[in-house]
Amino acid sequence: MRIAVLTSGGDSAGMNAAVRAVVKQAIVRGCETYIVREGYEGLVRGNLEANDNGTANGANNDQSGVCTPPRPEDQGVEANLRFGYGGLLRDGEGDSTDPTSGKSLKGRYIVRVGWDDVRGWMGEGGTIIGTARCAAFRTIEGRTTAAHNLIKEGINALVVCGGDGSLTGADKLRAEWPQLVADLLSKGSITAEQAEMYKHLMIVGLVGSIDNDMAMTDLTIGAPTALHRICESMDNISSTASSHSRAFVIEVMGRYCGWLALMAGVSGGADFVFIPECPPTADSWEDEMCAVIKRHREMGKRKTMVIVAEGAHDKNLNPIKPDKVKDILRERLSLDTRVTTLGHTQRGGRPCAYDRVLPTLQGVEAVNALLESTPETPSYMIGIHENKISRVPLVEAVQQTQAVATAISNKDFATATRLRDPEFKEAFDGFLTVSSLDPVYILPKEKHLRIAIMHIGAPAGGMNAATRAAARYCLAHGHTPLAVQNGFTGLMDDAIYPLTWLKVDSWMTRGGSELGTNRNVPGEDIGNIASHLQKHDIDGLFMIGGFEAFEALLELEEGRKYYPQLHIPLVHLPATLSNNVPVTEFSLGSDTSLNALVDACDAIRQSASASRNRVFVVETQGGMCGYLATMGALATGAVIVYTPEVGMNLHMLRSDSKFLQRRYELDEKGKAEGRLVIKSEKASNVFSVDVITKILREEGGKLFDARYASLGHTLQGGIPSPIDRARAVRLSLKCMAFIEEHAWALRDQPAKGRKPNPKSAAVITITGSSVNLTPVKEMVEHADMKNRRGVDPWWADYKQLAEILGSKNYFAGKLGQ
Ligand code: ADP
């Protein structure tokens, strides 16, 4: 197959990672790869320059438009390595030349690319290959020209990365393709042979959009980075707002979709959000907003933050604009109010970890989908659903996306909300719970509970956000949230105090552990712990932490046999950067740490690249679990990753150093690059980073140098990532509802001989997009207790994928190592 990839519509972070993955995977699968510059505009313009000797890209696109098979010298590993167009794309077209033919590339929009052209693209924002809005492509004439250009280049498969408009265009092109080919033939633009050869065009769509507005996928490429940018701005505004006791009205992008605004509201701890899908229900949105903010101010809050989505409106579809909100806050509540429009800052910048991993996995899947497609299969859009990369029919996804817009214009907000991804409504309800002080949620007195919250293990991003959400939920329902300081030690020292609404207000954005944490588990103190739970009249215990919290829960559950005080609901919310708690796919803190790792590796790679031929061996934390190292390798484009699950040996090191030698030999002179090797701290006790580095340095000889960096505790990250914060809120609220349910059920039993439901000692787990409270007993069979990790982790195969994309396996295989 000859696969071309283009980016279209609004740019978004992660598009480059998608293009990189498509190019690399296509080469790995034996295809020829092309990029189309400037989106559909490039497809319509095509390659204007005639070249009578055949072009460097292997396809002879002479004036007659007859395509001949690629030249043999353009095939094979070394040819696939570099076609040398990377410079062209970065430096502008004016002074660029095709390195093979030496001809100017001006006016060429469909260009062959090789493996090395896309190196270093992972960390770049926007789209390097360019995007444009193309009016011509909306016309049949434009699409006919585009078809002609594709056929001239011999391209029979296309990956389009863009928003719903771009994917609609892609679908049109595929649907019309037979007609376009017939027209070109009848006009004599192509030969009968070409018409036969190119009678089918395979298309796959990747959703690149900061708005997260596409149906049938949980996330779009670029949306998580945009959320990062928004939350960074909110965090910055927050301190000045607090200093001056100001109100800020923040307008965020999202077109007709409120996802960014809603998630920013949840993760940034806003007071009020206006989103198109869930407009204020009161007749006067002004009254509704002012009532909420007045209560917050009366409680003692010094700052106010209101988020307004770009497409916000009231329930009658009258637009709600930030300036109007500002005027209302000023006039009615006398608040010193400022408007901040974040604008294009939301689009730009380095992609966050998620926007590197997701497009990489989706790009790989796009190529696989193309290779498996037949003329009968529909065009697919690659999405993500239940933490699994999915293929969905492109037409259906586009139609369903348009259905949301129709529902909103019909004022059918319930349908619009339902058609968004399943978490949308939950996130909105969660936002109301944690931000509201409305007494309507207070339950009757007999339902009130005393719930203890503690942190166990090492600090992890999102622990405080989870505590805040739990405390706010309790207060909204009339319960008493009790903070236990320093885990079980604190409980036994009676270091317990009630949390207030205001006390936890700023905890959303704080890293570390506000409650204090340590690794102690009950052990022999279990009786003492049970009696202290009774002493403080605790109806439910909420433990936020890592593998130690899981062990503690197991012990407490076991202890129920002897201590009736432990019959209360006991819940564990996994929070650890190692992501080593069994069953659950994500623990709080794992996203923050992955981002910290990506940030550090970007800086290290820059330094490594500045001194050219340098290999950096980076050591990560993670205990006996290789999650962070593996996902880090995938997110940073590391060439080798060592994990505790796979381990290390001499043979591996030998073949890896050989691979690196070969790789550096193949680098074009003067164009070598820094490369990363990631080692999980416990991958080997013998081969420490120091030893590995020395071996590589020795073996590298004149070809490359080696250095190492140990990231240590920096990986705990500073401010928790928006994904960890939002996840903390979502999971924490579910844990609270679970504690309520089981505590009330226990109360309903006769006082004598109360028996706890065995399911009431549980860990909240994410498997796919389903969140479950898994009984701790069931967790054990999925746990490797000795190595303190889960068995059969879902990410295990990504080690190989990272190394394939890092070229190790590909070249190792081809070069017979
Ligand atoms: P996005 O892809 O981000 O939604 P646009 O809606 O601007 O952005 O679409 C990008 C490009 O996709 C347009 O400039 C146009 O070339 C093409 N396109 C959009 N809608 C259609 C359509 N209905 N038919 C053909 N091409 C379309």
Side-chain angles (χ1 to χ4, degrees):
M1 247 182 200
R2 279 193 191 153
I3 299 180
V5 52
L6 63 84
T7 54
S8 169
D11 71 310
S12 67
M15 281 182 159
N16 295 322
V19 173
R20 170 188 179 269
V22 168
V23 168
K24 290 196 164 193
Q25 177 70 358
I27 292 175
V28 167
R29 301 275 321 251
C31 305
E32 275 184 27
T33 47
Y34 294 75
I35 53 97
V36 182
R37 301 161 53 206
E38 316 298 344
Y40 291 128
E41 187 66 31
L43 215 51
V44 174
R45 290 195 188 185
N47 291 344
L48 301 179
E49 216 179 7
N51 183 342
D52 41 13
N53 295 325
T55 63
N57 61 22
N60 179 357
N61 71 332
D62 62 18
Q63 296 278 0
S64 71
V66 177
C67 174
T68 55
R71 302 177 308 184
E73 61 267 37
D74 289 326
Q75 302 298 298
V77 176
E78 299 204 16
N80 276 330
L81 257 188
R82 47 176 177 268
F83 272 83
Y85 293 95
L88 152 83
L89 300 166
R90 283 157 200 246
D91 301 335
E93 57 183 278
D95 53 357
S96 307
T97 47
D98 174 336
T100 314
S101 68
K103 293 192 176 204
S104 168
L105 283 161
K106 193 166 181 183
R108 295 179 56 76
Y109 287 89
I110 306 173
V111 277
R112 174 91 187 263
V113 282
W115 190 276
D116 283 355
D117 285 321
V118 292
R119 74 184 180 193
W121 283 26
M122 187 88 94
E124 305 255 353
T127 165
I128 294 170
I129 64 176
T131 178
R133 296 222 148 84
C134 174
F137 195 76
R138 292 179 186 269
T139 66
I140 186 79
E141 295 77 20
R143 292 193 291 276
T144 309
T145 313
H148 192 198
N149 286 328
L150 283 171
I151 293 173
K152 279 200 279 184
E153 294 302 321
I155 288 162
N156 50 7
L158 189 61
V159 179
V160 175
C161 180
D164 61 338
S166 306
L167 299 190
T168 308
D171 186 57
K172 264 206 174 133
L173 184 65
R174 166 130 192 223
E176 290 170 358
W177 188 261
Q179 188 55 46
L180 300 179
V181 172
D183 287 351
L184 288 170
L185 179 64
S186 71
K187 280 194 276 182
S189 306
I190 57 170
T191 63
E193 190 194 0
Q194 281 179 308
E196 179 56 26
M197 202 162 159
Y198 298 103
K199 65 179 176 199
H200 301 295
L201 175 74
M202 306 300 178
I203 290 191
V204 165
L206 293 172
V207 203
S209 160
I210 65 162
D211 305 329
N212 202 23
D213 55 353
M214 183 61 86
M216 300 177 82
T217 183
D218 297 351
L219 269 177
T220 58
I221 297 168
T225 301
L227 184 60
H228 269 253
R229 294 295 98 80
I230 295 167
C231 286
E232 280 157 18
S233 304
M234 284 179 74
D235 295 348
N236 295 339
I237 288 170
S238 177
S239 49
T240 176
S242 209
S243 310
H244 294 269
S245 193
R246 275 186 186 139
F248 273 86
V249 182
I250 301 166
E251 187 183 49
V252 304
M253 282 183 166
R255 291 199 293 185
Y256 306 106
C257 180
W259 186 86
L260 275 178
L262 173 57
M263 298 317 276
V266 171
S267 312
D271 296 86
F272 204 87
V273 294
F274 290 104
I275 55 172
E277 296 84 351
C278 311
T281 48
D283 286 334
S284 156
W285 63 262
E286 294 91 339
D287 290 350
E288 188 173 325
M289 174 185 74
C290 288
V292 168
I293 289 169
K294 193 158 171 271
R295 277 196 291 268
H296 291 184
R297 285 278 168 170
E298 281 168 359
M299 187 54 93
K301 232 186 132 167
R302 280 180 61 80
K303 66 174 182 220
T304 300
M305 289 223 236
V306 177
I307 309 274
V308 184
E310 197 176 14
H313 48 70
D314 67 12
K315 63 181 188 177
N316 295 314
L317 305 183
N318 302 308
I320 297 177
K321 292 291 168 200
D323 279 332
K324 175 79 176 159
V325 176
K326 177 195 73 180
D327 293 343
I328 301 287
L329 291 175
R330 278 196 176 166
E331 285 159 19
R332 298 221 197 152
L333 301 178
S334 307
L335 290 175
D336 179 6
T337 310
R338 308 291 157 104
V339 173
T340 302
T341 302
L342 301 179
H344 284 79
T345 58
Q346 295 162 77
R347 279 197 182 280
R350 293 165 54 248
C352 67
Y354 205 96
D355 272 328
R356 298 172 186 223
V357 174
L358 179 70
T360 299
L361 298 177
Q362 290 187 331
V364 167
E365 179 68 5
V367 171
N368 295 344
L370 283 176
L371 288 167
E372 285 160 32
S373 62
T374 64
E376 287 72 41
T377 45
S379 293
Y380 287 116
M381 178 190 96
I382 309 298
I384 179 158
H385 187 56
E386 306 190 345
N387 192 29
K388 292 231 161 6
I389 304 299
S390 57
R391 292 179 196 176
V392 295
L394 204 155
V395 196
E396 257 180 63
V398 170
Q399 278 168 356
Q400 198 170 312
T401 305
Q402 285 157 357
V404 181
T406 311
I408 291 177
S409 60
N410 292 337
K411 301 184 194 171
D412 183 359
F413 302 115
T415 303
T417 311
R418 188 172 43 76
L419 289 175
R420 295 270 181 235
D421 73 85
E423 281 179 44
F424 196 92
K425 177 80 171 57
E426 211 177 289
F428 186 68
D429 293 343
F431 172 76
L432 295 183
T433 309
V434 296
S435 63
S436 166
L437 269 169
D438 195 335
V440 292
Y441 298 110
I442 301 269
L443 300 168
K445 217 169 171 151
E446 64 277 10
K447 296 226 161 211
H448 291 181
L449 302 168
R450 288 168 63 79
I451 298 175
I453 307 168
M454 68 165 73
H455 297 174
I456 302 174
M463 275 182 157
N464 299 321
T467 308
R468 176 187 190 265
R472 290 271 176 98
Y473 181 99
C474 288
L475 294 165
H477 286 195
H479 308 314
T480 308
L482 293 153
V484 181
Q485 283 181 309
N486 291 323
F488 291 109
T489 323
L491 178 64
M492 291 184 289
D493 290 343
D494 295 319
I496 288 193
Y497 64 93
L499 288 167
T500 63
W501 194 90
L502 200 57
K503 167 106 185 151
V504 296
D505 193 49
S506 56
W507 287 16
M508 196 68 177
T509 53
R510 290 206 191 152
S513 160
E514 288 293 318
L515 303 186
T517 181
N518 58 50
R519 294 184 186 273
N520 298 345
V521 291
E524 289 178 355
D525 292 323
I526 193 155
N528 198 359
I529 287 168
S531 74
H532 276 82
L533 286 172
Q534 186 178 38
K535 177 176 169 189
H536 293 282
D537 211 6
I538 304 298
D539 297 300
L541 176 62
F542 184 35
M543 294 174 284
I544 305 167
F547 206 88
E548 291 85 1
F550 169 58
E551 286 173 321
L553 179 60
L554 267 176
E555 290 183 18
L556 294 176
E557 204 269 346
E558 192 60 25
R560 277 178 167 179
K561 287 184 201 142
Y562 314 103
Y563 304 102
Q565 300 94 322
L566 299 176
H567 288 184
I568 57 173
L570 307 161
V571 180
H572 167 212
L573 168 54
T576 158
L577 66 85
S578 309
N579 203 22
N580 60 340
V581 176
V583 183
T584 194
E585 290 170 4
F586 297 105
S587 54
L588 297 186
S590 55
D591 186 66
T592 302
S593 296
L594 193 54
N595 276 294
L597 177 67
V598 163
D599 288 349
C601 285
D602 276 359
I604 288 169
R605 183 198 282 281
Q606 199 173 55
S607 144
S609 295
S611 30
R612 295 296 175 196
N613 312 353
R614 181 168 284 180
V615 174
F616 253 96
V617 185
V618 176
E619 186 179 56
T620 69
Q621 287 192 332
M624 287 301 285
C625 177
Y627 171 83
L628 196 54
T630 304
M631 299 311 270
L634 206 54
T636 58
V639 288
I640 296 167
V641 55
Y642 298 118
T643 62
E645 286 83 355
V646 177
M648 292 180 72
N649 58 42
L650 263 181
H651 173 74
M652 248 179 207
L653 276 175
R654 186 165 173 271
S655 87
D656 288 346
S657 59
K658 270 197 159 180
F659 150 68
L660 284 169
Q661 282 168 353
R662 190 77 185 109
R663 195 63 194 81
Y664 275 97
E665 267 167 22
L666 290 173
D667 274 342
E668 241 178 297
K669 286 211 166 30
K671 283 199 171 173
E673 65 168 338
R675 294 193 160 90
L676 290 176
V677 172
I678 297 188
K679 187 212 168 217
S680 192
E681 59 184 352
K682 297 214 166 123
S684 164
N685 292 331
V686 178
F687 302 112
S688 64
V689 274
D690 184 35
V691 171
I692 300 169
T693 308
K694 282 181 179 149
I695 293 175
L696 291 181
R697 196 180 297 146
E698 185 70 16
E699 295 294 308
K702 287 201 175 114
L703 282 169
F704 62 90
D705 178 25
R707 293 276 197 281
Y708 74 84
S710 193
L711 300 181
H713 286 76
T714 57
L715 290 177
Q716 280 172 9
I719 295 172
S721 74
I723 289 182
D724 271 333
R725 297 187 215 170
R727 200 173 268 157
V729 174
R730 181 178 180 219
L731 299 183
S732 190
L733 298 184
K734 283 188 185 289
C735 291
M736 288 301 111
F738 178 86
I739 288 179
E740 277 180 338
E741 180 196 330
H742 285 279
W744 292 333
L746 203 65
R747 265 191 197 170
D748 287 345
Q749 292 181 29
K752 235 180 161 185
R754 272 182 187 160
K755 277 268 172 291
N757 184 332
K759 290 185 177 166
S760 68
V763 182
I764 190 156
T765 56
I766 308 175
T767 40
S769 72
S770 88
V771 175
N772 303 303
L773 278 127
T774 311
V776 67
K777 278 264 162 70
E778 280 177 28
M779 301 277 294
V780 179
E781 62 193 84
H782 303 283
D784 174 349
M785 296 304 285
K786 181 164 158 272
N787 287 312
R788 305 167 70 77
R789 63 186 182 214
V791 288
D792 235 353
W794 59 274
W795 44 266
D797 291 345
Y798 292 163
K799 172 176 153 53
Q800 195 189 12
L801 180 63
E803 291 183 340
I804 289 174
L805 298 179
S807 80
K808 180 176 130 175
N809 299 30
Y810 176 55
F811 290 102
K814 299 273 170 154
L815 297 170
Q817 287 176 10

